[in-house]
């Protein structure tokens, strides 16, 4: 509902606690890929923003979003993050998806202080390149000291949806959290 958000997040205290536990695990070097699903307007973004606010005092958050446009913007969330990361911008400008994959993985492996958290919002609108990046990261995440959070609307992701197929490929690494 649109009523007082602090009230809503209070009820989501257990979800926030679960996210904090997963963040702690990722800090120990066991990276986690968390997929947060729910209906449109249910508060997925508010939940993630609240969690990032709590955690971000000591960790950077790289945040990118997919858009409801057809055809989907290539690598839309990476483009958002590239505003802060020159190496990603260079790889994107080269229009070479393998260079983008490599640059993104390099970013996740960088030992500059605490590794970042990464948020990709609205994955139900992701293009094929972004979903492939998700597969690449998903395969390697157990060895990366990062927390990677993706959000999507489960009511828009049927069995044949490209996101559903990508999630199938990385199921072993992923933790699914449904926002009630």
């Amino acid at each position: 509902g649109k009523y007082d958000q602090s009230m809503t997040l209070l009820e989501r205290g257990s979800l926030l606690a679960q996210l904090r536990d997963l963040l702690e695990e990722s800090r120990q070097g066991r990276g986690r890929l968390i997929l947060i699903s729910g209906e449109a307007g249910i508060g997925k973004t508010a939940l993630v923003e609240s969690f990032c606010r709590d955690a971000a005092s000591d960790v950077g958050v790289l945040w990118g979003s997919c858009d409801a446009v057809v055809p989907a913007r290539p690598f839309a969330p990476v483009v958002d993050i590239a505003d802060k990361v020159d190496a990603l911008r260079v790889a994107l400008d080269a229009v070479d998806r393998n260079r983008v994959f490599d640059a993104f993985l390099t970013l996740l492996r960088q030992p500059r202080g605490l590794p970042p958290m990464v948020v990709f919002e609205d994955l139900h609108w992701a293009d094929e390149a972004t979903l492939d990046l998700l597969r690449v990261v998903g395969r390697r995440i157990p060895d990366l000291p990062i927390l990677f959070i993706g959000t999507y609307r489960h009511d828009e992701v049927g069995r044949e949806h490209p996101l559903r197929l990508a999630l199938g490929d990385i199921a072993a690494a992923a933790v699914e959290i449904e926002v009630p």
Side-chain angles (χ1 to χ4, degrees):
K2 289 277 178 262
Y3 59 95
D4 184 11
Q5 268 198 327
S6 61
M7 184 72 195
T8 318
L9 285 172
L10 204 63
E11 297 158 18
R12 305 238 160 108
S14 59
L15 290 180
L16 287 169
Q18 189 181 354
L19 288 172
R20 276 193 292 273
D21 289 346
L22 291 165
L23 176 63
E24 203 43 57
E25 276 185 35
S26 74
R27 296 267 170 86
Q28 311 298 321
R30 287 190 309 282
R32 291 299 202 154
L33 177 66
I34 302 172
L35 296 157
I36 297 178
S37 64
E39 294 165 24
I42 197 82
K44 298 179 294 296
T45 301
L47 177 73
V48 176
E49 281 175 347
S50 171
F51 170 63
C52 287
R53 256 197 316 278
D54 293 347
S57 52
D58 55 10
V59 60
V61 180
L62 300 172
W63 193 295
S65 302
C66 306
D67 309 289
V69 294
V70 178
R73 284 172 59 215
F75 281 128
V78 181
V79 172
D80 291 344
I81 291 167
D83 288 342
K84 299 189 187 75
V85 182
D86 292 340
L88 275 183
R89 165 67 49 214
V90 171
L92 286 165
D93 289 346
V95 197
D96 176 343
R97 56 179 233 150
N98 291 328
R99 275 185 68 177
V100 176
F101 293 166
D102 292 345
F104 197 79
L105 287 172
T106 300
L107 173 68
L108 300 187
R109 290 192 180 108
Q110 271 178 4
R112 281 184 326 219
L114 280 172
M117 284 197 300
V118 181
V119 178
F120 277 16
E121 260 207 299
D122 293 325
L123 283 170
H124 50 279
W125 290 324
D127 70 304
E128 204 54 58
T130 299
L131 293 179
D132 283 342
L133 176 64
L134 197 61
R135 288 179 169 98
V136 169
V137 171
R139 289 285 300 277
R140 286 157 184 79
I141 199 113
D143 305 318
L144 297 167
I146 66 150
L147 197 62
F148 190 111
I149 298 175
T151 70
Y152 70 95
R153 297 179 186 171
H154 57 63
D155 48 332
E156 296 201 19
V157 179
R159 277 213 311 275
E160 302 300 310
H161 192 286
L163 175 60
R164 178 63 55 210
L165 304 176
L167 297 184
D169 291 338
I170 55 174
V175 179
E176 291 251 11
I177 296 177
E178 192 169 321
V179 179

